[in-house]
Amino acid sequence: MAGGTACVLAGSGLGLLQFSTFLGDGRSDPLLLLPSLVLSLGGGYAVLFPGISVSRQGVKLYRDWRHHPPAAKVLWVLSLAVALGGLVACILSGLANPLLPGQLVWLFTGIYLVLAGWSSALLGQAAVVRANAPGVAGDPAGATAPGR
């Protein structure tokens, strides 16, 4: 997951370099465009898929909101903010130049995937820890015998 995060950061850096070049002369450089795409999306999915697979019993996001770790909640809300901000930026940039959203879309997508992956991993691990905690229903260590 750390390697995927590093790939997204590298891809975002290349994408920003490509974006500044595009704004300067209005042309794309495929030598910077394709590696940025591969690093951003590939690294994002390299974080997201392991993050999702942490918890096998499923995460109840809204029902267990008070029980989730604060860092996971912050990352989850931040991932939604990045997704919404990217959507708005792509729509507004498309009004100025129809080629701009193609330059921006995976910059936001890679960052969104990384944030969603890390938050999923933290939420899933917290769910596993809560399920294995003593005193949970069905746990023999927390079972009590009825009184006579």
Side-chain angles (χ1 to χ4, degrees), residues 14-96:
L14 282 175
L16 288 174
L17 181 63
Q18 165 57 31
F19 185 67
S20 63
T21 303
F22 180 80
L23 290 177
D25 62 4
R27 299 186 65 186
S28 297
D29 183 12
L31 295 177
L32 290 177
L33 197 61
L34 290 176
S36 173
L37 170 69
V38 169
L39 287 171
S40 290
L41 294 182
Y45 285 118
V47 173
L48 182 65
F49 292 145
I52 290 172
S53 67
V54 167
S55 175
R56 297 284 184 220
Q57 61 261 21
V59 175
K60 295 161 191 73
L61 195 59
Y62 298 111
R63 189 177 348 167
D64 291 339
W65 184 255
R66 288 177 286 151
H67 302 293
H68 294 315
K73 291 191 274 191
V74 166
L75 288 175
W76 186 74
V77 170
L78 191 58
S79 73
L80 294 178
V82 166
L84 183 62
L87 177 65
V88 169
C90 287
I91 290 171
L92 293 178
S93 67
L95 296 174

